[in-house]
PDB file of all heavy atoms in Angstrom:
ATOM      1  N   ASP W   1     103.287 117.107 103.666  1.00 96.00           N
ATOM      2  CA  ASP W   1     101.959 117.714 103.842  1.00 96.00           C
ATOM      3  C   ASP W   1     102.436 119.268 104.021  1.00 96.00           C
ATOM      4  O   ASP W   1     103.293 119.515 104.821  1.00 96.00           O
ATOM      5  CB  ASP W   1     101.290 117.312 105.080  1.00 96.00           C
ATOM      6  CG  ASP W   1     100.054 118.187 105.416  1.00 96.00           C
ATOM      7  OD1 ASP W   1      99.336 118.582 104.497  1.00 96.00           O
ATOM      8  OD2 ASP W   1      99.968 118.636 106.542  1.00 96.00           O
ATOM      9  N   ALA W   2     101.724 120.120 103.258  1.00 92.00           N
ATOM     10  CA  ALA W   2     102.022 121.650 103.309  1.00 92.00           C
ATOM     11  C   ALA W   2     100.674 122.324 103.440  1.00 92.00           C
ATOM     12  O   ALA W   2     100.711 123.473 103.062  1.00 92.00           O
ATOM     13  CB  ALA W   2     102.826 122.114 102.083  1.00 92.00           C
ATOM     14  N   SER W   3      99.644 121.623 104.145  1.00 91.00           N
ATOM     15  CA  SER W   3      98.306 122.184 104.067  1.00 91.00           C
ATOM     16  C   SER W   3      98.191 123.335 105.294  1.00 91.00           C
ATOM     17  O   SER W   3      99.072 123.255 106.227  1.00 91.00           O
ATOM     18  CB  SER W   3      97.331 121.152 104.590  1.00 91.00           C
ATOM     19  OG  SER W   3      97.452 120.173 103.657  1.00 91.00           O
ATOM     20  N   MET W   4      97.337 124.116 105.146  1.00 83.00           N
ATOM     21  CA  MET W   4      97.136 125.334 105.987  1.00 83.00           C
ATOM     22  C   MET W   4      95.879 124.933 106.888  1.00 83.00           C
ATOM     23  O   MET W   4      95.075 124.085 106.548  1.00 83.00           O
ATOM     24  CB  MET W   4      96.824 126.635 105.273  1.00 83.00           C
ATOM     25  CG  MET W   4      97.812 126.996 104.308  1.00 83.00           C
ATOM     26  SD  MET W   4      99.347 127.598 105.072  1.00 83.00           S
ATOM     27  CE  MET W   4     100.299 128.263 103.725  1.00 83.00           C
ATOM     28  N   GLY W   5      95.816 125.535 108.097  1.00 80.00           N
ATOM     29  CA  GLY W   5      94.725 125.367 108.874  1.00 80.00           C
ATOM     30  C   GLY W   5      94.731 124.309 109.909  1.00 80.00           C
ATOM     31  O   GLY W   5      93.733 123.849 110.552  1.00 80.00           O
ATOM     32  N   ASN W   6      95.942 123.819 110.255  1.00 81.00           N
ATOM     33  CA  ASN W   6      96.028 122.740 111.177  1.00 81.00           C
ATOM     34  C   ASN W   6      95.153 121.527 111.046  1.00 81.00           C
ATOM     35  O   ASN W   6      94.268 121.327 111.950  1.00 81.00           O
ATOM     36  CB  ASN W   6      95.879 123.353 112.643  1.00 81.00           C
ATOM     37  CG  ASN W   6      97.021 124.324 112.861  1.00 81.00           C
ATOM     38  OD1 ASN W   6      98.178 124.191 112.546  1.00 81.00           O
ATOM     39  ND2 ASN W   6      96.743 125.322 113.653  1.00 81.00           N
ATOM     40  N   PRO W   7      95.189 120.964 109.931  1.00 90.00           N
ATOM     41  CA  PRO W   7      94.367 119.773 109.755  1.00 90.00           C
ATOM     42  C   PRO W   7      94.555 118.601 110.718  1.00 90.00           C
ATOM     43  O   PRO W   7      95.641 118.437 111.358  1.00 90.00           O
ATOM     44  CB  PRO W   7      94.623 119.108 108.438  1.00 90.00           C
ATOM     45  CG  PRO W   7      95.973 119.754 108.070  1.00 90.00           C
ATOM     46  CD  PRO W   7      96.097 121.105 108.707  1.00 90.00           C
ATOM     47  N   SER W   8      93.564 117.851 111.101  1.00 91.00           N
ATOM     48  CA  SER W   8      93.631 116.884 112.093  1.00 91.00           C
ATOM     49  C   SER W   8      93.660 115.370 111.414  1.00 91.00           C
ATOM     50  O   SER W   8      93.944 114.447 112.085  1.00 91.00           O
ATOM     51  CB  SER W   8      92.534 116.945 113.036  1.00 91.00           C
ATOM     52  OG  SER W   8      91.420 116.949 112.506  1.00 91.00           O
ATOM     53  N   SER W   9      93.333 115.324 110.202  1.00 96.00           N
ATOM     54  CA  SER W   9      93.374 114.076 109.424  1.00 96.00           C
ATOM     55  C   SER W   9      93.735 114.313 107.989  1.00 96.00           C
ATOM     56  O   SER W   9      93.521 115.375 107.427  1.00 96.00           O
ATOM     57  CB  SER W   9      92.025 113.405 109.466  1.00 96.00           C
ATOM     58  OG  SER W   9      90.938 114.105 108.778  1.00 96.00           O
ATOM     59  N   TRP W  10      94.346 113.226 107.382  1.00 98.00           N
ATOM     60  CA  TRP W  10      94.818 113.241 105.959  1.00 98.00           C
ATOM     61  C   TRP W  10      94.501 112.047 105.228  1.00 98.00           C
ATOM     62  O   TRP W  10      94.509 110.989 105.887  1.00 98.00           O
ATOM     63  CB  TRP W  10      96.361 113.428 106.115  1.00 98.00           C
ATOM     64  CG  TRP W  10      96.838 114.607 106.732  1.00 98.00           C
ATOM     65  CD1 TRP W  10      97.379 115.850 106.171  1.00 98.00           C
ATOM     66  CD2 TRP W  10      97.037 114.860 108.227  1.00 98.00           C
ATOM     67  NE1 TRP W  10      97.707 116.616 107.069  1.00 98.00           N
ATOM     68  CE2 TRP W  10      97.567 116.134 108.421  1.00 98.00           C
ATOM     69  CE3 TRP W  10      96.808 113.916 109.341  1.00 98.00           C
ATOM     70  CZ2 TRP W  10      97.832 116.653 109.604  1.00 98.00           C
ATOM     71  CZ3 TRP W  10      97.134 114.432 110.547  1.00 98.00           C
ATOM     72  CH2 TRP W  10      97.628 115.720 110.701  1.00 98.00           C
ATOM     73  N   GLU W  11      94.072 112.199 104.064  1.00 98.00           N
ATOM     74  CA  GLU W  11      93.796 111.125 103.182  1.00 98.00           C
ATOM     75  C   GLU W  11      94.421 111.304 101.798  1.00 98.00           C
ATOM     76  O   GLU W  11      94.102 112.124 101.172  1.00 98.00           O
ATOM     77  CB  GLU W  11      92.323 110.831 102.896  1.00 98.00           C
ATOM     78  CG  GLU W  11      91.447 110.631 104.317  1.00 98.00           C
ATOM     79  CD  GLU W  11      90.017 110.388 104.017  1.00 98.00           C
ATOM     80  OE1 GLU W  11      89.711 110.281 102.861  1.00 98.00           O
ATOM     81  OE2 GLU W  11      89.304 110.415 104.945  1.00 98.00           O
ATOM     82  N   TRP W  12      95.532 110.428 101.585  1.00 98.00           N
ATOM     83  CA  TRP W  12      96.269 110.601 100.458  1.00 98.00           C
ATOM     84  C   TRP W  12      95.852 109.502  99.488  1.00 98.00           C
ATOM     85  O   TRP W  12      95.559 108.286  99.811  1.00 98.00           O
ATOM     86  CB  TRP W  12      97.809 110.425 100.718  1.00 98.00           C
ATOM     87  CG  TRP W  12      98.518 111.250 101.647  1.00 98.00           C
ATOM     88  CD1 TRP W  12      98.417 111.287 102.914  1.00 98.00           C
ATOM     89  CD2 TRP W  12      99.242 112.414 101.227  1.00 98.00           C
ATOM     90  NE1 TRP W  12      99.246 112.352 103.292  1.00 98.00           N
ATOM     91  CE2 TRP W  12      99.740 113.075 102.453  1.00 98.00           C
ATOM     92  CE3 TRP W  12      99.648 112.948  99.929  1.00 98.00           C
ATOM     93  CZ2 TRP W  12     100.431 114.184 102.330  1.00 98.00           C
ATOM     94  CZ3 TRP W  12     100.431 114.036 100.045  1.00 98.00           C
ATOM     95  CH2 TRP W  12     100.928 114.680 101.106  1.00 98.00           C
ATOM     96  N   THR W  13      95.862 109.677  98.188  1.00 98.00           N
ATOM     97  CA  THR W  13      95.648 108.767  97.016  1.00 98.00           C
ATOM     98  C   THR W  13      96.753 108.868  96.051  1.00 98.00           C
ATOM     99  O   THR W  13      96.932 110.096  95.547  1.00 98.00           O
ATOM    100  CB  THR W  13      94.224 108.970  96.409  1.00 98.00           C
ATOM    101  OG1 THR W  13      93.181 108.701  97.437  1.00 98.00           O
ATOM    102  CG2 THR W  13      94.059 107.882  95.364  1.00 98.00           C
ATOM    103  N   PHE W  14      97.435 107.942  95.660  1.00 98.00           N
ATOM    104  CA  PHE W  14      98.627 107.943  94.807  1.00 98.00           C
ATOM    105  C   PHE W  14      98.331 106.968  93.743  1.00 98.00           C
ATOM    106  O   PHE W  14      98.547 105.816  93.784  1.00 98.00           O
ATOM    107  CB  PHE W  14      99.931 107.447  95.575  1.00 98.00           C
ATOM    108  CG  PHE W  14     100.215 108.153  96.865  1.00 98.00           C
ATOM    109  CD1 PHE W  14     100.079 107.704  98.039  1.00 98.00           C
ATOM    110  CD2 PHE W  14     100.792 109.526  96.753  1.00 98.00           C
ATOM    111  CE1 PHE W  14     100.354 108.411  99.101  1.00 98.00           C
ATOM    112  CE2 PHE W  14     101.059 110.251  97.912  1.00 98.00           C
ATOM    113  CZ  PHE W  14     100.847 109.729  99.164  1.00 98.00           C
ATOM    114  N   GLU W  15      97.787 107.569  92.547  1.00 97.00           N
ATOM    115  CA  GLU W  15      97.565 106.874  91.422  1.00 97.00           C
ATOM    116  C   GLU W  15      98.855 106.204  90.900  1.00 97.00           C
ATOM    117  O   GLU W  15      99.875 107.010  90.570  1.00 97.00           O
ATOM    118  CB  GLU W  15      96.945 107.765  90.348  1.00 97.00           C
ATOM    119  CG  GLU W  15      96.534 107.080  88.972  1.00 97.00           C
ATOM    120  CD  GLU W  15      95.961 108.115  87.992  1.00 97.00           C
ATOM    121  OE1 GLU W  15      96.175 109.391  88.258  1.00 97.00           O
ATOM    122  OE2 GLU W  15      95.638 107.727  86.958  1.00 97.00           O
ATOM    123  N   GLY W  16      98.892 104.780  90.584  1.00 96.00           N
ATOM    124  CA  GLY W  16     100.040 104.263  90.047  1.00 96.00           C
ATOM    125  C   GLY W  16     101.066 103.992  91.088  1.00 96.00           C
ATOM    126  O   GLY W  16     102.081 103.365  90.771  1.00 96.00           O
ATOM    127  N   GLY W  17     100.848 104.310  92.363  1.00 97.00           N
ATOM    128  CA  GLY W  17     101.928 104.320  93.354  1.00 97.00           C
ATOM    129  C   GLY W  17     101.595 103.094  94.359  1.00 97.00           C
ATOM    130  O   GLY W  17     100.512 102.413  94.448  1.00 97.00           O
ATOM    131  N   GLU W  18     102.718 102.624  95.061  1.00 97.00           N
ATOM    132  CA  GLU W  18     102.590 101.606  96.072  1.00 97.00           C
ATOM    133  C   GLU W  18     103.264 102.169  97.386  1.00 97.00           C
ATOM    134  O   GLU W  18     104.470 102.492  97.258  1.00 97.00           O
ATOM    135  CB  GLU W  18     103.329 100.291  95.609  1.00 97.00           C
ATOM    136  CG  GLU W  18     102.546  99.688  94.340  1.00 97.00           C
ATOM    137  CD  GLU W  18     103.390  98.318  93.919  1.00 97.00           C
ATOM    138  OE1 GLU W  18     104.286  97.946  94.729  1.00 97.00           O
ATOM    139  OE2 GLU W  18     103.034  97.865  92.936  1.00 97.00           O
ATOM    140  N   PRO W  19     102.536 102.235  98.532  1.00 97.00           N
ATOM    141  CA  PRO W  19     101.182 101.965  98.566  1.00 97.00           C
ATOM    142  C   PRO W  19     100.304 102.998  97.806  1.00 97.00           C
ATOM    143  O   PRO W  19     100.776 104.075  97.574  1.00 97.00           O
ATOM    144  CB  PRO W  19     100.984 102.034 100.094  1.00 97.00           C
ATOM    145  CG  PRO W  19     101.880 103.044 100.674  1.00 97.00           C
ATOM    146  CD  PRO W  19     103.140 102.815  99.810  1.00 97.00           C
ATOM    147  N   ALA W  20      99.095 102.665  97.531  1.00 97.00           N
ATOM    148  CA  ALA W  20      98.235 103.544  96.915  1.00 97.00           C
ATOM    149  C   ALA W  20      97.423 104.555  97.704  1.00 97.00           C
ATOM    150  O   ALA W  20      97.095 105.570  97.110  1.00 97.00           O
ATOM    151  CB  ALA W  20      97.206 102.688  96.038  1.00 97.00           C
ATOM    152  N   THR W  21      97.429 104.406  99.024  1.00 98.00           N
ATOM    153  CA  THR W  21      96.785 105.296  99.869  1.00 98.00           C
ATOM    154  C   THR W  21      97.563 105.488 101.156  1.00 98.00           C
ATOM    155  O   THR W  21      98.391 104.540 101.427  1.00 98.00           O
ATOM    156  CB  THR W  21      95.338 104.830 100.162  1.00 98.00           C
ATOM    157  OG1 THR W  21      95.339 103.573 100.827  1.00 98.00           O
ATOM    158  CG2 THR W  21      94.409 104.741  98.910  1.00 98.00           C
ATOM    159  N   SER W  22      97.249 106.493 101.941  1.00 98.00           N
ATOM    160  CA  SER W  22      97.791 106.654 103.300  1.00 98.00           C
ATOM    161  C   SER W  22      96.932 107.603 104.021  1.00 98.00           C
ATOM    162  O   SER W  22      96.434 108.478 103.490  1.00 98.00           O
ATOM    163  CB  SER W  22      99.241 107.362 103.172  1.00 98.00           C
ATOM    164  OG  SER W  22      99.831 107.381 104.440  1.00 98.00           O
ATOM    165  N   THR W  23      96.847 107.413 105.333  1.00 97.00           N
ATOM    166  CA  THR W  23      96.268 108.329 106.189  1.00 97.00           C
ATOM    167  C   THR W  23      97.162 109.080 107.165  1.00 97.00           C
ATOM    168  O   THR W  23      96.707 109.581 108.195  1.00 97.00           O
ATOM    169  CB  THR W  23      95.179 107.515 107.106  1.00 97.00           C
ATOM    170  OG1 THR W  23      95.708 106.580 107.805  1.00 97.00           O
ATOM    171  CG2 THR W  23      94.026 107.071 106.052  1.00 97.00           C
ATOM    172  N   LEU W  24      98.368 108.954 106.937  1.00 97.00           N
ATOM    173  CA  LEU W  24      99.456 109.676 107.812  1.00 97.00           C
ATOM    174  C   LEU W  24      99.548 110.987 107.253  1.00 97.00           C
ATOM    175  O   LEU W  24      99.450 111.294 106.036  1.00 97.00           O
ATOM    176  CB  LEU W  24     100.724 108.826 107.630  1.00 97.00           C
ATOM    177  CG  LEU W  24     100.689 107.360 108.150  1.00 97.00           C
ATOM    178  CD1 LEU W  24     102.055 106.711 108.113  1.00 97.00           C
ATOM    179  CD2 LEU W  24     100.259 107.343 109.643  1.00 97.00           C
ATOM    180  N   GLN W  25     100.137 111.932 108.061  1.00 97.00           N
ATOM    181  CA  GLN W  25     100.375 113.233 107.644  1.00 97.00           C
ATOM    182  C   GLN W  25     101.733 113.171 106.716  1.00 97.00           C
ATOM    183  O   GLN W  25     101.580 113.892 105.585  1.00 97.00           O
ATOM    184  CB  GLN W  25     100.645 114.192 108.838  1.00 97.00           C
ATOM    185  CG  GLN W  25     101.034 115.581 108.342  1.00 97.00           C
ATOM    186  CD  GLN W  25     101.375 116.559 109.628  1.00 97.00           C
ATOM    187  OE1 GLN W  25     101.433 116.098 110.751  1.00 97.00           O
ATOM    188  NE2 GLN W  25     101.363 117.912 109.228  1.00 97.00           N
ATOM    189  N   THR W  26     102.573 112.501 107.071  1.00 96.00           N
ATOM    190  CA  THR W  26     103.761 112.139 106.186  1.00 96.00           C
ATOM    191  C   THR W  26     103.674 110.803 105.630  1.00 96.00           C
ATOM    192  O   THR W  26     104.095 109.791 106.518  1.00 96.00           O
ATOM    193  CB  THR W  26     105.052 112.472 106.859  1.00 96.00           C
ATOM    194  OG1 THR W  26     105.044 113.890 107.397  1.00 96.00           O
ATOM    195  CG2 THR W  26     106.208 112.344 105.971  1.00 96.00           C
ATOM    196  N   PRO W  27     103.324 110.342 104.631  1.00 97.00           N
ATOM    197  CA  PRO W  27     103.045 109.168 103.981  1.00 97.00           C
ATOM    198  C   PRO W  27     104.482 108.453 103.887  1.00 97.00           C
ATOM    199  O   PRO W  27     105.538 109.147 103.784  1.00 97.00           O
ATOM    200  CB  PRO W  27     102.381 109.132 102.685  1.00 97.00           C
ATOM    201  CG  PRO W  27     102.840 110.574 102.240  1.00 97.00           C
ATOM    202  CD  PRO W  27     102.881 111.538 103.484  1.00 97.00           C
ATOM    203  N   PRO W  28     104.498 107.039 103.894  1.00 97.00           N
ATOM    204  CA  PRO W  28     105.788 106.360 103.511  1.00 97.00           C
ATOM    205  C   PRO W  28     106.340 106.634 102.168  1.00 97.00           C
ATOM    206  O   PRO W  28     105.533 107.134 101.408  1.00 97.00           O
ATOM    207  CB  PRO W  28     105.451 104.914 103.760  1.00 97.00           C
ATOM    208  CG  PRO W  28     103.926 104.901 103.491  1.00 97.00           C
ATOM    209  CD  PRO W  28     103.326 106.223 103.956  1.00 97.00           C
ATOM    210  N   PRO W  29     107.612 106.235 101.871  1.00 97.00           N
ATOM    211  CA  PRO W  29     108.034 106.406 100.380  1.00 97.00           C
ATOM    212  C   PRO W  29     107.045 105.775  99.442  1.00 97.00           C
ATOM    213  O   PRO W  29     106.600 104.551  99.686  1.00 97.00           O
ATOM    214  CB  PRO W  29     109.226 105.916 100.550  1.00 97.00           C
ATOM    215  CG  PRO W  29     109.730 106.010 101.880  1.00 97.00           C
ATOM    216  CD  PRO W  29     108.654 105.878 102.722  1.00 97.00           C
ATOM    217  N   ILE W  30     106.698 106.507  98.419  1.00 98.00           N
ATOM    218  CA  ILE W  30     105.777 105.870  97.339  1.00 98.00           C
ATOM    219  C   ILE W  30     106.570 105.331  96.282  1.00 98.00           C
ATOM    220  O   ILE W  30     107.304 106.115  95.620  1.00 98.00           O
ATOM    221  CB  ILE W  30     104.727 106.886  96.890  1.00 98.00           C
ATOM    222  CG1 ILE W  30     104.012 107.459  98.170  1.00 98.00           C
ATOM    223  CG2 ILE W  30     103.702 106.227  95.945  1.00 98.00           C
ATOM    224  CD1 ILE W  30     103.345 106.484  99.043  1.00 98.00           C
ATOM    225  N   THR W  31     106.409 104.166  95.833  1.00 97.00           N
ATOM    226  CA  THR W  31     107.154 103.492  94.712  1.00 97.00           C
ATOM    227  C   THR W  31     106.249 103.393  93.580  1.00 97.00           C
ATOM    228  O   THR W  31     105.052 103.117  93.550  1.00 97.00           O
ATOM    229  CB  THR W  31     107.640 102.087  95.223  1.00 97.00           C
ATOM    230  OG1 THR W  31     108.407 102.140  96.286  1.00 97.00           O
ATOM    231  CG2 THR W  31     108.438 101.437  94.079  1.00 97.00           C
ATOM    232  N   TYR W  32     107.004 103.708  92.409  1.00 96.00           N
ATOM    233  CA  TYR W  32     106.318 103.612  91.068  1.00 96.00           C
ATOM    234  C   TYR W  32     106.971 102.683  90.142  1.00 96.00           C
ATOM    235  O   TYR W  32     108.202 102.818  89.899  1.00 96.00           O
ATOM    236  CB  TYR W  32     106.223 105.063  90.479  1.00 96.00           C
ATOM    237  CG  TYR W  32     105.306 105.966  91.140  1.00 96.00           C
ATOM    238  CD1 TYR W  32     105.865 106.817  92.203  1.00 96.00           C
ATOM    239  CD2 TYR W  32     104.069 106.244  90.729  1.00 96.00           C
ATOM    240  CE1 TYR W  32     104.987 107.729  92.872  1.00 96.00           C
ATOM    241  CE2 TYR W  32     103.177 107.164  91.517  1.00 96.00           C
ATOM    242  CZ  TYR W  32     103.687 107.811  92.444  1.00 96.00           C
ATOM    243  OH  TYR W  32     102.850 108.745  93.073  1.00 96.00           O
ATOM    244  N   ASN W  33     106.248 101.613  89.815  1.00 95.00           N
ATOM    245  CA  ASN W  33     106.977 100.572  89.028  1.00 95.00           C
ATOM    246  C   ASN W  33     106.471 100.486  87.587  1.00 95.00           C
ATOM    247  O   ASN W  33     107.088  99.675  86.730  1.00 95.00           O
ATOM    248  CB  ASN W  33     106.628  99.199  89.669  1.00 95.00           C
ATOM    249  CG  ASN W  33     107.224  99.047  91.040  1.00 95.00           C
ATOM    250  OD1 ASN W  33     108.347  99.392  91.128  1.00 95.00           O
ATOM    251  ND2 ASN W  33     106.410  98.571  91.958  1.00 95.00           N
ATOM    252  N   THR W  34     105.633 101.320  87.226  1.00 94.00           N
ATOM    253  CA  THR W  34     105.093 101.397  85.777  1.00 94.00           C
ATOM    254  C   THR W  34     105.235 102.812  85.153  1.00 94.00           C
ATOM    255  O   THR W  34     104.682 103.597  85.807  1.00 94.00           O
ATOM    256  CB  THR W  34     103.667 100.919  85.688  1.00 94.00           C
ATOM    257  OG1 THR W  34     103.436  99.645  86.335  1.00 94.00           O
ATOM    258  CG2 THR W  34     103.080 100.773  84.296  1.00 94.00           C
ATOM    259  N   PRO W  35     105.852 102.885  83.837  1.00 92.00           N
ATOM    260  CA  PRO W  35     105.884 104.129  83.297  1.00 92.00           C
ATOM    261  C   PRO W  35     104.564 104.884  83.130  1.00 92.00           C
ATOM    262  O   PRO W  35     103.627 104.097  82.860  1.00 92.00           O
ATOM    263  CB  PRO W  35     106.710 103.846  82.011  1.00 92.00           C
ATOM    264  CG  PRO W  35     106.356 102.516  81.746  1.00 92.00           C
ATOM    265  CD  PRO W  35     106.338 101.719  83.010  1.00 92.00           C
ATOM    266  N   GLY W  36     104.550 106.118  83.091  1.00 93.00           N
ATOM    267  CA  GLY W  36     103.281 106.893  82.764  1.00 93.00           C
ATOM    268  C   GLY W  36     103.299 108.122  83.698  1.00 93.00           C
ATOM    269  O   GLY W  36     104.200 108.463  84.421  1.00 93.00           O
ATOM    270  N   GLN W  37     102.146 108.835  83.599  1.00 94.00           N
ATOM    271  CA  GLN W  37     101.944 110.078  84.298  1.00 94.00           C
ATOM    272  C   GLN W  37     100.769 109.770  85.261  1.00 94.00           C
ATOM    273  O   GLN W  37      99.741 109.332  84.819  1.00 94.00           O
ATOM    274  CB  GLN W  37     101.638 111.240  83.353  1.00 94.00           C
ATOM    275  CG  GLN W  37     102.871 111.596  82.698  1.00 94.00           C
ATOM    276  CD  GLN W  37     102.583 112.947  81.782  1.00 94.00           C
ATOM    277  OE1 GLN W  37     101.449 113.012  81.159  1.00 94.00           O
ATOM    278  NE2 GLN W  37     103.658 113.782  81.805  1.00 94.00           N
ATOM    279  N   TYR W  38     100.894 110.170  86.518  1.00 97.00           N
ATOM    280  CA  TYR W  38     100.036 109.726  87.589  1.00 97.00           C
ATOM    281  C   TYR W  38      99.623 110.862  88.430  1.00 97.00           C
ATOM    282  O   TYR W  38     100.362 111.781  88.752  1.00 97.00           O
ATOM    283  CB  TYR W  38     100.542 108.489  88.403  1.00 97.00           C
ATOM    284  CG  TYR W  38     100.825 107.343  87.589  1.00 97.00           C
ATOM    285  CD1 TYR W  38     102.288 107.060  87.361  1.00 97.00           C
ATOM    286  CD2 TYR W  38      99.838 106.491  87.217  1.00 97.00           C
ATOM    287  CE1 TYR W  38     102.634 105.946  86.663  1.00 97.00           C
ATOM    288  CE2 TYR W  38     100.185 105.377  86.493  1.00 97.00           C
ATOM    289  CZ  TYR W  38     101.571 105.039  86.198  1.00 97.00           C
ATOM    290  OH  TYR W  38     101.705 103.948  85.477  1.00 97.00           O
ATOM    291  N   GLY W  39      98.330 110.948  88.913  1.00 97.00           N
ATOM    292  CA  GLY W  39      97.772 112.003  89.726  1.00 97.00           C
ATOM    293  C   GLY W  39      97.982 111.691  91.209  1.00 97.00           C
ATOM    294  O   GLY W  39      98.126 110.487  91.685  1.00 97.00           O
ATOM    295  N   VAL W  40      97.891 112.741  92.093  1.00 98.00           N
ATOM    296  CA  VAL W  40      98.017 112.631  93.457  1.00 98.00           C
ATOM    297  C   VAL W  40      96.897 113.376  94.023  1.00 98.00           C
ATOM    298  O   VAL W  40      96.715 114.689  93.625  1.00 98.00           O
ATOM    299  CB  VAL W  40      99.474 113.129  94.042  1.00 98.00           C
ATOM    300  CG1 VAL W  40      99.551 112.945  95.425  1.00 98.00           C
ATOM    301  CG2 VAL W  40     100.628 112.225  93.493  1.00 98.00           C
ATOM    302  N   THR W  41      96.195 112.973  95.037  1.00 98.00           N
ATOM    303  CA  THR W  41      95.133 113.644  95.766  1.00 98.00           C
ATOM    304  C   THR W  41      95.415 113.666  97.280  1.00 98.00           C
ATOM    305  O   THR W  41      95.722 112.598  97.792  1.00 98.00           O
ATOM    306  CB  THR W  41      93.805 112.995  95.453  1.00 98.00           C
ATOM    307  OG1 THR W  41      93.552 113.048  94.029  1.00 98.00           O
ATOM    308  CG2 THR W  41      92.565 113.646  96.223  1.00 98.00           C
ATOM    309  N   LEU W  42      95.120 114.838  97.809  1.00 98.00           N
ATOM    310  CA  LEU W  42      95.287 114.905  99.261  1.00 98.00           C
ATOM    311  C   LEU W  42      94.020 115.571  99.919  1.00 98.00           C
ATOM    312  O   LEU W  42      93.563 116.679  99.372  1.00 98.00           O
ATOM    313  CB  LEU W  42      96.380 115.661  99.807  1.00 98.00           C
ATOM    314  CG  LEU W  42      96.492 116.202 101.273  1.00 98.00           C
ATOM    315  CD1 LEU W  42      96.631 114.811 102.193  1.00 98.00           C
ATOM    316  CD2 LEU W  42      97.744 117.047 101.557  1.00 98.00           C
ATOM    317  N   THR W  43      93.225 115.066 100.756  1.00 98.00           N
ATOM    318  CA  THR W  43      92.118 115.588 101.386  1.00 98.00           C
ATOM    319  C   THR W  43      92.561 115.790 102.843  1.00 98.00           C
ATOM    320  O   THR W  43      92.916 114.838 103.622  1.00 98.00           O
ATOM    321  CB  THR W  43      90.922 114.585 101.271  1.00 98.00           C
ATOM    322  OG1 THR W  43      90.666 114.477  99.920  1.00 98.00           O
ATOM    323  CG2 THR W  43      89.726 115.191 102.064  1.00 98.00           C
ATOM    324  N   VAL W  44      92.220 117.005 103.343  1.00 97.00           N
ATOM    325  CA  VAL W  44      92.632 117.292 104.737  1.00 97.00           C
ATOM    326  C   VAL W  44      91.266 117.663 105.456  1.00 97.00           C
ATOM    327  O   VAL W  44      90.478 118.306 104.890  1.00 97.00           O
ATOM    328  CB  VAL W  44      93.737 118.295 104.853  1.00 97.00           C
ATOM    329  CG1 VAL W  44      95.027 117.855 104.451  1.00 97.00           C
ATOM    330  CG2 VAL W  44      93.363 119.691 104.253  1.00 97.00           C
TER     331      VAL W  44
END
């Protein structure tokens, strides 16, 4: 996380990744098992 403004909550979405979501500031390692290009979204 490199967000500004001292966020108090985080919502990650990892397209194509495992796990696909996380609510931790620092999510666990994300594994990708299928070739392709995938998006990442963070809401703070």
Side-chain angles (χ1 to χ4, degrees):
D1 172 48
S3 303
M4 303 291 188
N6 295 320
S8 53
S9 67
W10 299 260
E11 295 182 13
W12 298 83
T13 301
F14 304 104
E15 181 185 8
E18 295 181 10
T21 62
S22 176
T23 58
L24 300 176
Q25 181 177 11
T26 302
I30 307 302
T31 303
Y32 292 88
N33 294 315
T34 305
Q37 292 184 319
Y38 300 104
V40 177
T41 297
L42 171 61
T43 298
V44 293

